[in-house]
Amino acid sequence: MRWVSYPRVGVPGFPEVELGVLAYWEGDGTFRASLKGEEEFVFYDGPPFANGLPHYGHLLTGYVKDVVPRYQTMRGYRVERRFGWDTHGLPAELEAQRVLGLKTKAEILKLGIEKFNDACRASVLKYTDEWRSYVTRQARWVDFEHDYKTLNPDYMESVIWAFKTLYDKGLVYEGLRVLPYCWNDETPLSNHELRMDDDVYQPRQDPSVTVAVELETGERLLAWTTTPWTLPSNLAMAVGPDVDYVVVDDAEGRPTILAEARLAAYAGSHGDDGGLGTEVRRRLKGSDLIGLHYTPLFDFLVGTENAFQVIAADHVTTDDGTGVVHMAPAYGEEDQLACDAVGIPTVLTVDDAAHFTAVVPPYQGLHVFEANRPIIRDLRAAGALIREDSIVHSYPHCWRCRNPLIYKAVSSWFVEVTRIRDRMVELNEQITWVPEHVKHGQFGKWLSNARDWSISRNRFWGSPIPVWRSDDPAYPRIDVYGSIEELERDFGVEVRDLHRPYVDELTRPNPDDPTGRSTMRRVPDVLDVWFDSGSMSFAQVHYPFENQDWFENHFPGDFIVEYIGQTRGWFYTLHVLSTALFDRPAFRSCLSHGIVLGNDGQKMSKSLRNYPDVTEVFDRDGADAMRWFLMSSPILRGGNLVVTEQAIRDGVRQTLIPLWNAWSFFTLYANAAGVSGTRSTASPHVLDRYLLASLRECVADVQTHLDRYDIASACDAVQSYTEVLTNWYIRRSRDRFWSGEQDAINTLYTALEVLCRTAAPLLPLVTEDIWRGLTGERSVHLTDWPSYGELPDDPELVERMERAREVCSVASSIRKASGIRARQPLRTLTVATAADLADLAPLIAAEVNVRDVVLTSADAVDAPVSQRLTVNARAAGPRLGRDVQQVIKASKSGDWSVSADGVVVAGGIELQDGEYTLETTLADGHEASALLPGGGFVVLDTTITPDLEAEGVARDVVRAIQQARRDAGFEVTDRVRLTLTADPSTAAAVQTHRELIMGETLATALEVVEGTELTVGVTA
């Protein structure tokens, strides 16, 4: 066999190693070479906004987006990884407003839509270079050259095609509906946008008031609200038909009505007009009040059809307030529905910026929140204010500008999700969710209660609503366009850009107007940015205008991943559009991970500086260290994760350094012996057979976990095997490597080569460097996934060796507790276990550093263990009744037994599972003994005789000599001459174990000089 000299491996500097690998990949074109395979695994890359720098959330998701495609590539699939950019919507507009110093939509219109949108376009591409650098440094393979951007005409054309298709199916409609509304951005939001992140709802203090209106029957009806600014828009009062109401007198003797359950909260001396009495004059149901009219609080809306009456509403409760709900249909979703049912119209009193209009002259120009005080003042003056309080409640805020929202009726275009809701629920059954509980939990419950989706935004930068309407109601006509070709056909001009203002400039005479005076003009709204995102699966390939065959044969996608909030965002909108357009789910599998938190347990914040800088981590620990920390964490099982520098370094210590040390060990001894490793599973040695059989189980486990997208468990399997490799196999095989044994070299070569392939998706940079150094071949990422079937199958040996390792671990714990150092030999370790460890006893003796291992059974030795029976009275009592006391007494007195088949009898009464616990404990007086996790126990003889003590001293001397060899720069194979200076007792121990010391240290001569302390001289 020709000897191949392996590269010298020193102390790992992982960042430097990684930079070398990244440079190699770039020069070699490794990523492009990996795009092979006839069958495709379709991965959808959720597009980020590029008008901000990436953060830990992107880092985490990006790693998953790399792990899965790398793994699937090694399994033989072609995995395209087109990067995408989310470029439209409020994020871009707000950044452009900041740069341009604009505050309102009026200022934008004054500047001009063209100039404003140019600024939006520039802002969304501002950080593309930084993103590319960041993604590349984290070792994520992405195709930037063939990326997609939602602002590209091809993408936008697919988006308007989707709108028209939905319109043609009758799934799009225009309506005046109450929606969450951002007065700062002057646009509505979708309901799902309020549920994406927990911090959308923030504590807010608002005034709450109780008011009274006079019924036509003479009583005063009390109503409560936390939005006083909506009272000028009151058009009805709602009651629960089945709720019990009472009539009581107020402080002035006026009959007053409220829910009986709320009387105690208003009785006594409270409020501006005094409290209510407690004597009930009359009881009635809410249904008795329905249809009664009342005198309005304000006269602004007098004359409104069917207004100012008591109506029924399902959402009325008696948890708080008065059991009567004030209804302003323009500013409450449930209010509008209830009022619609009785023919009360929706009347707007505030403008797009949430300022009162001329409809309510006293408050005209006031912002709604500013109007609360003057409205309350006027109600008090009119005698209608019963009580004023303050309430701190969870209140929705805009997820982009962070201002408090209002609910407001706006004209919007909707996807009629409620029509396809049941089908969406059915198609969800075809999706594999990780974690599994998301399927019927956060996502499934959201689908079951999904409402119609408001998809229009009266903003500027986005895909257009492709609807043209006649500007003359006398000649109504609506045209909806789904392609650039259709636009060019009807408008007779070349269409290059679908953005505003260019698309707004497309006008033509109304074909249905014989006078020729009316014009078809586009409705000015743009589409919700989530409509863009939800179109990604087909729009990225310009479907249906191109790639029809590819899309229809590669849809649904195989895998997507984002954080849990996207169950109400991207995951949801993908599912809505896919169901509506194709009657199929958009994706087969979805990993929904938790949220990355700062080191203080709070959401990461630049202002708080509560997380380690990503660049600093890359420069100090490396990208693989960060990858390992994130991929092995509970966050991929749906939990949240606190990022700390120590946790990242723990991953380096627990996995990366051991793997690197195994590689370093191999190169050291293979080069020293002048032998090359080769792939082999033929060694008969028990340690070699165990290592390879364990490797088989590791490969199988990692494959199973990655097939299920359980990346954290895959990491656990790799880390467990690395522990086996470094802390058991190598430590117990040093003598064999010292002697250059070929079977050991081959086995370690095989283990490292297969382990690198197995861990390659999880640690792509470090495994690449090791694997290339080991094999001399092009790239571990161009190889096939290892076949565990080619490795030895010996689960019985693996099980027995694991029991042996347990014995060693427990015995070492006894040593530590007894204060006996590891290099001090002891005489005997007694192992009482049912496991057959006879052939492994020499390994146990060497690991534990004892001269003799005695294997026996628990019954064959004066066992230092006992069993304790504890009766669970709560579980056994219902079945045994009074006899449970007899059983408890028997358990304490020892009057109990366990039969051969495991049946427990106490006091003559048989116990059932769950009615007792049986504990095995160590008896008193056996400090040097301990229980084994798998059953049985060990006893360590801790008596140190003079000859054992002398051998321990000699082994300490060996350790000191080995350190002196390294410090002097000697190679592991160099022969040396030793001069030791030692105190008399140490010198005596050295002379007694002279042969041991010289053999362990490759000494050709050993001179011992008596002195006061140990010093080591090493020469060639």
Side-chain angles (χ1 to χ4, degrees):
M1 178 189 302
R2 184 175 64 86
W3 172 49
V4 177
S5 177
Y6 295 100
R8 292 175 61 90
V9 179
V11 177
F14 292 121
E16 291 77 14
V17 168
E18 293 179 351
L19 292 175
V21 172
L22 293 173
Y24 170 76
W25 284 347
E26 183 177 7
D28 176 66
T30 318
F31 172 42
R32 291 189 297 276
S34 74
L35 297 174
K36 58 187 191 307
E38 295 183 2
E39 188 174 352
E40 288 201 50
F41 178 90
V42 180
F43 163 68
Y44 290 160
D45 188 357
F49 284 102
N51 68 335
L53 292 171
H55 53 67
Y56 270 90
H58 299 121
L59 186 75
L60 167 67
T61 308
Y63 277 134
V64 180
K65 292 175 179 180
D66 191 64
V67 168
V68 172
R70 283 186 190 274
Y71 170 69
Q72 295 295 341
T73 296
M74 295 180 76
R75 294 301 303 274
Y77 293 98
R78 179 184 180 89
V79 188
E80 297 282 355
R81 278 158 270 185
R82 296 183 66 200
F83 202 76
W85 303 100
D86 216 347
T87 58
H88 285 150
L90 277 175
E93 292 201 31
L94 293 177
E95 175 65 12
Q97 285 183 229
R98 185 190 67 78
V99 170
L100 296 171
L102 306 177
K103 299 295 184 183
T104 67
K105 286 175 65 175
E107 292 175 337
I108 294 172
L109 291 171
K110 183 177 180 181
L111 172 71
I113 296 175
E114 182 175 6
K115 291 181 179 178
F116 179 72
N117 277 358
D118 285 344
C120 290
R121 186 186 302 270
S123 80
V124 297
L125 303 177
K126 180 177 179 180
Y127 294 109
T128 52
D129 289 343
E130 286 85 348
W131 269 87
R132 185 164 187 161
S133 174
Y134 173 97
V135 168
T136 301
R137 181 61 187 90
Q138 74 174 115
R140 181 182 166 198
W141 276 353
V142 171
D143 184 355
F144 285 106
E145 303 304 320
H146 301 91
D147 60 1
Y148 68 88
K149 298 180 180 72
T150 58
L151 58 75
N152 287 343
D154 284 354
Y155 194 101
M156 295 173 71
E157 186 176 25
S158 293
V159 169
I160 66 169
W161 167 83
F163 180 96
K164 184 178 190 303
T165 303
L166 295 178
Y167 183 88
D168 291 344
K169 289 185 173 187
L171 290 173
V172 168
Y173 67 91
E174 186 181 21
L176 184 69
R177 295 275 297 278
V178 174
L179 295 169
Y181 184 83
C182 180
W183 45 267
N184 180 70
D185 302 329
E186 300 184 31
T187 192
L189 285 77
S190 303
N191 284 300
H192 66 79
E193 291 180 277
L194 268 61
R195 298 294 178 182
M196 284 187 60
D197 292 306
D198 293 339
D199 62 353
V200 165
Y201 279 82
Q202 296 286 335
R204 176 179 166 84
Q205 186 169 11
D206 280 314
S208 66
V209 297
T210 303
V211 296
V213 295
E214 185 172 336
L215 294 172
E216 60 185 314
T217 51
E219 299 93 346
R220 287 168 34 112
L221 185 67
L222 301 191
W224 177 76
T225 181
T226 60
T227 54
W229 67 267
T230 63
L231 288 169
S233 307
N234 171 265
L235 289 174
M237 296 292 180
V239 296
D242 297 323
V243 173
D244 294 316
Y245 293 84
V246 293
V247 180
V248 297
D249 287 340
D250 67 7
E252 298 181 10
R254 293 173 295 189
T256 303
I257 299 175
L258 77 168
E260 184 172 15
R262 300 300 301 162
L263 178 58
Y266 283 83
S269 55
H270 298 288
D272 290 66
D273 293 342
L276 300 180
T278 58
E279 182 180 350
V280 176
R281 295 180 52 178
R282 182 161 60 98
R283 286 184 169 81
L284 62 161
K285 288 287 188 181
S287 56
D288 299 324
L289 297 169
I290 294 171
L292 294 177
H293 287 78
Y294 61 88
T295 302
L297 288 167
F298 299 91
D299 60 6
F300 309 131
L301 303 182
V302 170
T304 302
E305 186 179 4
N306 298 319
F308 310 117
Q309 62 170 305
V310 180
I311 64 175
D314 294 335
H315 66 281
V316 176
T317 72
T318 57
D319 295 336
D320 46 27
T322 65
V324 180
V325 177
H326 130 74
M327 309 294 277
Y331 307 109
E333 189 174 10
E334 292 170 317
D335 298 26
Q336 188 186 43
L337 292 173
C339 288
D340 279 349
V342 294
I344 299 176
T346 298
V347 182
L348 285 165
T349 56
V350 304
D351 62 18
D352 290 346
H355 294 99
F356 278 102
T357 66
V359 177
V360 284
Y363 314 121
Q364 183 177 0
L366 284 179
H367 188 277
V368 292
F369 294 139
E370 297 172 351
N372 278 326
R373 298 314 317 164
I375 289 171
I376 294 171
R377 179 197 63 210
D378 291 349
L379 288 169
R380 179 180 287 110
L385 184 70
I386 301 302
R387 180 186 295 179
E388 179 186 357
D389 293 303
S390 180
I391 184 173
V392 177
H393 54 164
S394 182
Y395 194 86
H397 289 64
C398 179
W399 66 291
R400 284 302 176 190
C401 70
R402 299 302 178 185
N403 281 297
L405 301 170
I406 62 172
Y407 279 81
K408 179 177 179 287
V410 293
S411 178
S412 182
W413 291 83
F414 294 85
V415 173
E416 196 172 0
V417 175
T418 48
R419 263 185 59 192
I420 59 171
R421 182 168 55 199
D422 291 345
R423 183 57 177 160
M424 288 166 60
V425 171
E426 291 174 0
L427 291 176
N428 184 38
E429 295 302 310
Q430 299 179 21
I431 301 172
T432 298
W433 285 90
V434 181
E436 188 177 4
H437 63 77
V438 175
K439 181 173 191 168
H440 297 125
Q442 190 154 326
F443 191 69
K445 290 178 181 177
W446 181 256
L447 290 184
S448 299
N449 296 284
R451 288 178 279 183
D452 290 354
W453 173 16
S454 167
I455 57 171
S456 59
R457 300 289 180 267
N458 48 338
R459 295 295 301 188
F460 307 99
W461 177 244
S463 296
I465 297 281
V467 176
W468 273 254
R469 177 186 284 130
S470 169
D471 61 5
D472 186 349
Y475 299 98
R477 178 184 172 99
I478 288 179
D479 293 327
V480 180
Y481 293 91
S483 71
I484 290 175
E485 181 183 356
E486 292 173 2
L487 289 169
E488 292 179 340
R489 177 199 64 205
D490 280 7
F491 293 98
V493 296
E494 183 180 5
V495 177
R496 294 182 177 180
D497 193 338
L498 289 170
H499 289 100
R500 301 185 71 184
Y502 315 111
V503 70
D504 300 339
E505 296 166 356
L506 299 177
T507 62
R508 67 174 182 135
N510 179 1
D512 294 341
D513 179 3
T515 69
R517 289 192 293 268
S518 64
T519 301
M520 300 299 295
R521 302 183 187 278
R522 195 187 73 85
V523 299
D525 293 354
V526 295
L527 283 164
D528 176 14
V529 67
W530 291 106
F531 198 96
D532 274 2
S533 301
S535 302
M536 173 265 172
S537 59
F538 55 89
Q540 67 166 333
V541 292
H542 196 209
Y543 178 88
F545 308 100
E546 295 181 76
N547 303 304
Q548 289 190 25
D549 183 68
W550 183 92
F551 176 76
E552 289 163 7
N553 289 283
H554 294 81
F555 181 81
D558 291 300
F559 178 72
I560 61 173
V561 55
E562 292 293 341
Y563 86 110
I564 188 69
Q566 295 294 0
T567 52
R568 281 84 186 268
W570 190 48
F571 301 157
Y572 173 67
T573 56
L574 279 173
H575 195 63
V576 170
L577 292 183
S578 181
T579 301
L581 294 170
F582 307 110
D583 194 33
R584 299 170 73 181
F587 45 90
R588 292 188 172 90
S589 300
C590 177
L591 193 157
S592 179
H593 61 71
I595 299 171
V596 185
L597 303 175
N599 51 33
D600 56 359
Q602 303 300 311
K603 189 170 183 178
M604 287 188 171
S605 166
K606 290 181 180 178
S607 61
L608 294 176
R609 297 183 61 85
N610 61 347
Y611 58 91
D613 180 81
V614 173
T615 302
E616 290 179 7
V617 173
F618 284 170
D619 291 344
R620 184 190 63 236
D621 303 312
D624 271 3
M626 176 62 78
R627 179 186 293 239
W628 186 265
F629 164 69
L630 293 172
M631 296 300 93
S632 62
S633 73
I635 198 167
L636 296 186
R637 298 185 175 109
N640 295 340
L641 177 67
V642 174
V643 175
T644 65
E645 294 186 19
Q646 185 57 50
I648 296 167
R649 286 195 289 269
D650 285 345
V652 176
R653 177 177 54 82
Q654 295 166 1
T655 305
L656 280 165
I657 289 178
L659 176 60
W660 189 268
N661 286 346
W663 163 229
S664 177
F665 180 89
F666 174 83
T667 62
L668 176 67
Y669 286 97
N671 286 338
V675 297
S676 299
T678 187
R679 180 71 181 267
S680 174
T681 60
S683 173
H685 194 284
V686 66
L687 277 171
D688 295 344
R689 288 168 35 228
Y690 163 68
L691 184 67
L692 297 177
S694 293
L695 181 59
R696 175 193 175 101
E697 294 186 359
C698 173
V699 174
D701 287 346
V702 173
Q703 179 174 319
T704 298
H705 296 316
L706 291 183
D707 282 345
R708 298 172 179 170
Y709 307 106
D710 185 358
I711 298 173
S713 292
C715 289
D716 290 344
V718 169
Q719 183 171 330
S720 295
Y721 184 76
T722 304
E723 170 78 12
V724 167
L725 176 64
T726 58
N727 284 341
W728 183 253
Y729 176 79
I730 287 178
R731 192 166 64 243
R732 295 276 48 86
S733 303
R734 287 186 180 275
D735 290 345
R736 299 172 61 212
F737 284 95
W738 186 268
S739 64
E741 184 181 317
Q742 189 67 54
D743 276 346
I745 296 289
N746 289 346
T747 298
L748 183 53
Y749 174 95
T750 303
L752 283 171
E753 192 276 331
V754 175
L755 179 59
C756 281
R757 282 193 284 153
T758 306
L762 307 171
L763 296 168
L765 294 162
V766 173
T767 56
E768 177 75 302
D769 192 75
I770 294 174
W771 191 87
R772 292 188 63 238
L774 187 71
T775 66
E777 296 181 27
R778 183 176 179 183
S779 173
V780 69
H781 302 289
L782 300 180
T783 62
D784 293 334
W785 182 255
S787 172
Y788 62 82
E790 297 176 359
L791 295 164
D793 184 13
D794 197 342
E796 184 270 338
L797 172 60
V798 173
E799 175 66 23
R800 290 194 303 111
M801 192 68 81
E802 292 306 304
R803 298 291 77 76
R805 293 180 65 207
E806 283 180 359
V807 167
C808 296
S809 177
V810 171
S812 296
S813 297
I814 296 174
R815 269 185 176 275
K816 185 175 181 180
S818 303
I820 302 172
R821 66 192 190 283
R823 286 188 294 276
Q824 173 60 60
L826 296 174
R827 187 169 300 281
T828 305
L829 175 69
T830 301
V831 183
T833 177
D836 179 11
L837 305 180
D839 59 329
L840 306 181
L843 290 173
I844 296 171
E847 177 70 11
V848 181
N849 196 8
V850 296
R851 291 183 175 175
D852 191 22
V853 172
V854 177
L855 299 174
T856 184
S857 64
D859 298 332
V861 70
D862 182 14
V865 294
S866 62
Q867 286 187 308
R868 178 191 303 146
L869 177 69
T870 302
V871 177
N872 184 341
R874 180 173 295 181
R879 186 178 70 86
L880 298 179
R882 295 180 180 178
D883 290 342
V884 73
Q885 294 302 321
Q886 175 184 335
V887 170
I888 292 173
K889 186 179 295 184
S891 69
K892 293 179 179 178
S893 66
D895 179 21
W896 59 275
S897 62
V898 183
S899 68
D901 55 359
V903 176
V904 176
V905 177
I909 297 175
E910 183 177 315
L911 297 179
Q912 297 180 356
D913 288 345
E915 295 179 346
Y916 65 89
T917 56
L918 196 58
E919 297 175 278
T920 301
T921 61
L922 289 169
D924 295 336
H926 290 84
E927 294 83 359
S929 58
L931 295 171
L932 292 170
F937 60 91
V938 298
V939 180
L940 184 64
D941 184 352
T942 57
T943 303
I944 301 176
T945 62
D947 66 314
L948 290 172
E949 184 176 13
E951 185 180 342
V953 170
R955 293 186 180 277
D956 290 338
V957 170
V958 170
R959 175 75 177 87
I961 294 170
Q962 299 289 33
Q963 185 60 51
R965 282 177 57 102
R966 284 191 289 271
D967 292 345
F970 284 99
E971 297 289 349
V972 67
T973 55
D974 289 342
R975 301 286 176 172
V976 297
R977 300 174 64 87
L978 300 176
T979 301
L980 302 181
T981 301
D983 61 77
S985 62
T986 301
V990 169
Q991 295 295 4
T992 301
H993 296 283
R994 185 182 186 89
E995 186 176 340
L996 167 68
I997 294 171
M998 294 180 68
E1000 290 285 330
T1001 63
L1002 289 186
T1004 57
L1006 171 57
E1007 180 183 356
V1008 182
V1009 179
E1010 287 194 9
T1012 57
E1013 61 181 19
L1014 180 65
T1015 60
V1016 180
V1018 186
T1019 58

